[in-house]
Amino acid sequence: MTTARDEVLARIRAGLSRTDASEPDELTAALAALPRLYRTSGDLSPHLRAELFAERLRDYGVEVHTVTVAAIAEAVASRLTARSARRVAFPAGFPAAWLPRDFDFLEGDSLLPEALDR
């Protein structure tokens, strides 16, 4: 049985086989040689970049809270309390200082919803 993933990969392979760069090393070199005409750096300061990012998030209806680093844990606690969340997952590598007390945090990138419902 062919899955949609298999079909997509087969189409990609077929398309790649019609090029001269069909070997992985040749393909990598061919891709590296493509001109990259997009901007790779900007002129905005970190503060203005963060403001632009927040503005774009708001355009998508995201609620944005701007806080100092020292106030992150307090802000997280406030939002979790507002949502009545007591058990929350966070990704590996998340700064422990940003996790407020009095909540049950589960570390992991692949937790199942059942783990949160306990």
Side-chain angles (χ1 to χ4, degrees), residues 14-70:
L16 291 174
S17 68
R18 290 190 291 266
T19 68
D20 293 335
S22 58
E23 293 299 317
D25 289 339
E26 292 175 27
L27 178 59
T28 300
L31 291 174
L34 289 174
R36 310 289 186 207
L37 303 177
Y38 47 83
R39 191 172 15 159
T40 58
S41 64
D43 298 330
L44 294 178
S45 68
H47 174 74
L48 290 176
R49 198 173 325 132
E51 286 296 319
L52 179 61
F53 180 63
E55 179 184 326
R56 290 182 177 167
L57 289 173
R58 287 184 190 101
D59 287 344
Y60 284 94
V62 175
E63 187 177 332
V64 177
H65 298 269
T66 303
V67 298
T68 64
V69 172

Side-chain angles (χ1 to χ4, degrees), residues 63 65 74-86 103:
E63 187 177 332
H65 298 269
E74 182 181 335
V76 170
S78 172
R79 298 316 309 149
L80 293 176
T81 299
R83 298 188 188 309
S84 301
R86 302 301 314 155
F103 291 89

